[in-house]
Amino acid sequence: MASVNIADVRKNYGQVEVLHGVDIDIKDGEFVILVGPSGCGKSTLLRMIAGLEGVSSGDIAIGGRVVNDVAPKNRDIAMVFQSYALYPHMTVEANMGFSLQLAKAPKEQVLRRVREAAQILGLENLLDRYPRHLSGGQRQRVAMGRAIVRQPQVFLFDEPLSNLDAKLRVQMRAEIKQLHQRLKTTTVYVTHDQIEAMTMADRIVVMHDGVVEQIGSPLELYDRPANLFVAGFIGSPGMNFLRGRLGTSEKPEFTGSGGARLQLPAGMKVSPDVEVVLGIRPEHLMLVETGIQAEVVIVEPTGSETQIFARLGDDEVVCTTRDRINVRPGDMLALQPDYSKLHLFDAETGARLHC
Ligand code: ADP
Ligand code: MG
């Protein structure tokens, strides 16, 4: 196992810079997920760790050794891709053992490691099958098995679950997490799916347009997003945002440009007359007897909870409740935020304001 240290790493394709100075320190044994919208540079960064792409500037170190000029096969990493890239003419056993065979490992060692990996992944009964006779989930497991037999210092995953249906994705998510708890191999995992990131990672790196927006544990990112981008990206349904201005510290009040008015808790440190964005997570917007008036637009029951989209002045907000409530589009609701859970951001820079 090994740490992975990424220091001021940049990547250019010709004149275009797609990674603008990325710093990430991944501890030995950690499960870190790179998450962000499509095109933000996740795969590029992962492929640079793997050595499949060169580093334009900065350093990447694995286990304390700078590997910028080290060939992929000498980096002691194993990568699992979205397209499993199994050899169709080889059995599961041959697919899993192939890299060790290539490395001229003794036959008994190959056999033993393949058997161990097959046992970990529940593939013992499928070793003689060919990939075309496997389900998507089984193929995914073989691709992971192929990585496991190499006993690398670092696992690299690039959207490994994207080709699976929703139910299987949830199952494989749990399996990969368990696998990590068992093997404790340092893992860097790329996904665009924030739920995947939240549920699996020790720490999440949120990326956007080639920069790191925030690094933290899942709940740190959820509870204290550093900026509007992270606040909006993490969480589903997303955080409600209301643009407006604050009153004075003596009389902290939020006046939304859409018409919403909120008394803020006394003593809340605010800078008067700054354009702000107030953020409220849907579960922190409660239905009350008397509160801010909002008109119901859409009601979406999911069973465990109900999402209610409502108009608040010119803004639309969503609140979630676990109660069974009987409301219809057009009805008026009274809402009240949980004041201890409000988020404030600078409207211009998007940065979190202390609150
Ligand atoms: P992600 O994996 O987050 O979706 P990528 O790392 O694949 O994003 O791509 C990041 C950016 O780099 C994109 O704008 C993409 O178009 C660009 N890019 C990726 N590979 C190349 C390449 N070989 N040549 C030029 N541009 C590339
Ligand atoms: Mg990608």
Side-chain angles (χ1 to χ4, degrees):
M1 286 198 289
S3 58
V4 176
N5 302 91
I6 297 163
D8 197 18
V9 161
R10 291 169 188 270
K11 178 68 183 176
N12 297 80
Y13 288 112
Q15 297 295 309
V16 184
E17 190 175 83
V18 297
L19 288 174
H20 311 293
V22 169
D23 293 283
I24 308 171
D25 286 315
I26 298 166
K27 293 194 265 301
D28 185 25
E30 212 177 6
F31 193 130
V32 165
I33 295 195
L34 312 180
V35 71
S38 179
C40 71
K42 309 178 293 293
S43 295
T44 302
L45 185 56
L46 198 73
R47 291 169 59 81
M48 286 161 88
I49 299 172
L52 303 172
E53 292 281 351
V55 175
S56 302
S57 77
D59 283 325
I60 296 181
I62 298 177
R65 170 177 72 136
V66 173
V67 292
N68 291 17
D69 300 319
V70 176
K73 66 176 171 39
N74 297 327
R75 292 193 183 196
D76 207 358
I77 49 105
M79 187 148 167
V80 179
F81 298 91
Q82 176 180 347
S83 63
Y84 317 128
L86 301 178
Y87 300 110
H89 59 286
M90 287 187 194
T91 62
V92 167
E93 180 161 4
N95 262 289
M96 282 168 63
F98 189 62
S99 66
L100 287 184
Q101 253 176 358
L102 267 190
K104 307 237 182 322
K107 238 187 171 148
E108 314 78 67
Q109 190 192 28
V110 178
L111 196 67
R112 182 167 43 79
R113 290 227 201 141
V114 169
R115 292 283 141 105
E116 275 170 13
Q119 198 198 354
I120 290 171
L121 295 163
L123 292 170
E124 299 110 307
N125 299 325
L126 303 176
L127 287 171
D128 295 332
R129 291 227 194 144
Y130 288 89
R132 65 180 176 279
H133 296 135
L134 300 176
S135 69
Q138 289 166 338
R139 281 181 211 171
Q140 181 55 51
R141 262 183 230 129
V142 176
M144 288 198 295
R146 212 168 37 175
I148 290 172
V149 297
R150 297 174 56 189
Q151 302 187 343
Q153 297 215 60
V154 182
F155 284 128
L156 304 176
F157 290 90
D158 194 352
E159 311 241 10
L161 307 184
S162 299
N163 290 338
L164 306 178
D165 65 50
K167 195 161 179 199
L168 197 52
R169 228 168 23 230
V170 172
Q171 187 190 331
M172 291 303 293
R173 200 160 84 188
E175 282 190 23
I176 294 176
K177 189 166 175 168
Q178 272 179 0
L179 187 70
H180 178 259
Q181 282 163 4
R182 179 168 176 171
L183 300 177
K184 298 189 171 62
T185 305
T186 311
T187 301
V188 189
Y189 183 111
V190 162
T191 178
H192 64 274
D193 179 350
Q194 58 93 18
I195 303 268
E196 222 168 276
M198 289 294 283
T199 50
M200 296 172 79
D202 291 327
R203 280 193 308 153
I204 297 174
V205 178
V206 180
M207 294 178 63
H208 179 214
D209 284 347
V211 301
V212 171
E213 295 279 355
Q214 190 173 4
I215 303 178
S217 72
L219 295 183
E220 274 165 14
L221 298 196
Y222 192 84
D223 293 339
R224 287 189 66 79
N227 54 49
L228 275 174
F229 179 80
V230 177
F233 190 77
I234 301 281
S236 173
M239 188 185 281
N240 295 299
F241 293 126
L242 300 174
R243 236 184 139 85
R245 282 180 177 275
L246 298 174
T248 59
S249 288
E250 292 75 52
K251 190 170 173 292
E253 186 187 41
F254 172 82
T255 312
S257 47
R261 267 171 179 268
L262 286 176
Q263 292 300 323
L264 298 179
M268 191 168 184
K269 270 210 196 121
V270 297
S271 331
D273 262 356
V274 188
E275 189 87 8
V276 296
V277 175
L278 185 78
I280 313 169
R281 293 227 178 258
E283 68 274 27
H284 300 144
L285 201 49
M286 299 167 296
L287 300 169
V288 289
E289 288 292 314
T290 47
I292 310 155
Q293 292 294 303
E295 185 189 335
V296 177
V297 181
I298 299 172
V299 181
E300 290 184 345
T302 68
S304 63
E305 58 187 27
T306 301
Q307 290 156 15
I308 302 166
F309 293 78
R311 207 167 288 131
L312 194 77
D314 292 339
D315 291 306
E316 191 170 292
V317 293
V318 53
C319 61
T320 55
T321 175
R322 292 184 159 268
D323 295 331
R324 291 278 186 264
I325 56 157
N326 189 17
V327 292
R328 275 194 293 254
D331 289 355
M332 292 307 284
L333 287 177
L335 300 174
Q336 184 187 303
D338 177 344
Y339 287 103
S340 67
K341 304 272 170 62
L342 293 180
H343 305 261
L344 272 183
F345 303 95
D346 183 317
E348 201 169 320
T349 65
R352 181 185 192 84
L353 298 169
H354 289 283
C355 63

